[in-house]
Amino acid sequence: MPENPSKNAVVTGASSGIGEATVRQLRADGWNVIAFARRADRLAQLAAQTGAAAFAGDVTNDDDVARLLEFAAETFAGSGGIDTLINIAGGARGADHVANAKDEDWDWMFQVNVMGTLKLTRAFLPALRSHGRGTVLNLTSTAAITAYEGGSGYNAAKFAQHALTGALRLEEAEHNIRVIEVAPGLVQTEEFALNRLGGDKEAAQKVYQGVEEPLTAEDVAGVVGYAVGLPHHINLDQVTVRPVAQAAAHKLIRR
């Protein structure tokens, strides 16, 4: 990896979707990147294609997070240390109303979206503070801003991640750590709706049916790359990103 002391990032959720696209975007922009996700085979392909360093593990596993921290310290030792943590890992499971909510779906969403973000951020804060110009970017969702029917579990998890992000910004400003939140609306990726709806391909396709141009993973990755690439004194507190067809959470144009 080429030395670049001001551009050393860890990206979670990097084996697909927005996480993978973010790794590709940052590498194209000249960043040194560690791609972190559970699926080692997909990470290996991404590393071969982009030159990113791959590290397989689970954001909810304390041992994996500790090993990642050590790996990052070694990988970036000669180029100024890590300065940017990008928490992309997350997702939704189920679309039940509260009356039919499944404990296991809620538990999974809170573990991945909230506890995963907490564990990674807590682990890397000492290194980011030591660097002196650190950045944490958390990918939330417009589900963190507006509740909707059938979204209660995902709303709850993303509202919690949003609140964590806001508190972190207040707590770490004195350490010159900027904290950015990017909240996408409708993004068509290969797995998000499919995973949420239990692998039902027909139901997943209906989520995007008739929407002329939903956002893509690359669209969101471009916003992430822009936000972390700005001069460090500029903090984009919260960026809401929607397709034009989605004027609000309750207004989606389908042709």
Side-chain angles (χ1 to χ4, degrees):
M1 296 172 66
E3 290 192 358
N4 191 336
S6 64
K7 290 186 173 183
N8 295 328
V10 169
V11 178
T12 74
S15 62
S16 67
I18 296 170
E20 177 185 345
T22 297
V23 172
R24 294 183 186 279
Q25 179 69 58
L26 293 183
R27 288 295 296 151
D29 292 343
W31 287 70
N32 304 318
V33 181
I34 296 174
F36 181 56
R38 290 178 293 107
R39 292 176 287 186
D41 56 338
R42 297 189 64 140
L43 286 180
Q45 292 178 355
L46 181 62
Q49 293 167 358
T50 65
F55 191 90
D58 188 330
V59 295
T60 68
N61 184 287
D62 291 329
D63 291 338
D64 287 352
V65 172
R67 291 190 302 110
L68 172 65
L69 183 63
E70 293 179 2
F71 181 75
E74 295 170 0
T75 301
F76 298 140
S79 58
I82 182 172
D83 58 81
T84 301
L85 171 65
I86 302 178
N87 289 305
I88 304 289
R93 184 167 290 181
D96 295 322
H97 287 206
V98 172
N100 301 311
K102 298 179 180 65
D103 287 359
E104 58 270 27
D105 288 346
W106 281 59
D107 286 341
W108 183 87
M109 285 186 281
F110 268 84
Q111 283 297 316
V112 174
N113 293 286
V114 183
M115 297 306 297
T117 298
L118 169 64
K119 290 175 185 289
L120 265 293
T121 304
R122 182 175 59 197
F124 279 93
L125 274 178
L128 294 172
R129 289 172 175 175
S130 178
H131 183 279
R133 296 171 68 85
T135 297
V136 177
L137 186 147
N138 292 338
L139 188 85
T140 60
S141 168
T142 53
I145 302 168
T146 305
Y148 57 92
E149 293 170 290
S152 58
Y154 190 52
N155 287 140
K158 286 300 186 181
F159 266 82
Q161 189 187 25
H162 163 74
L164 182 162
T165 304
L168 181 70
R169 185 178 300 113
L170 295 171
E171 293 166 356
E172 295 302 322
E174 65 184 275
H175 301 294
N176 201 32
I177 293 178
R178 62 178 177 178
V179 178
I180 301 165
E181 177 180 1
V182 175
L186 186 69
V187 185
Q188 186 170 12
T189 63
E190 60 180 323
E191 294 185 333
F192 180 85
L194 192 64
N195 290 340
R196 182 174 197 174
L197 299 173
D200 187 333
K201 292 183 179 180
E202 184 177 351
Q205 289 172 353
K206 287 182 179 179
V207 172
Y208 312 104
Q209 191 171 27
V211 181
E212 288 187 344
E213 290 185 283
L215 296 178
T216 66
E218 291 73 22
D219 292 333
V220 180
V223 174
V224 171
Y226 176 79
V228 299
L230 287 170
H232 187 268
H233 70 284
I234 302 172
N235 195 109
L236 301 184
D237 284 14
Q238 183 184 48
V239 184
T240 303
V241 190
R242 291 189 176 100
V244 173
Q246 189 181 33
H250 64 279
K251 187 176 178 65
L252 179 63
I253 306 302
R254 298 183 188 270
R255 303 294 183 185

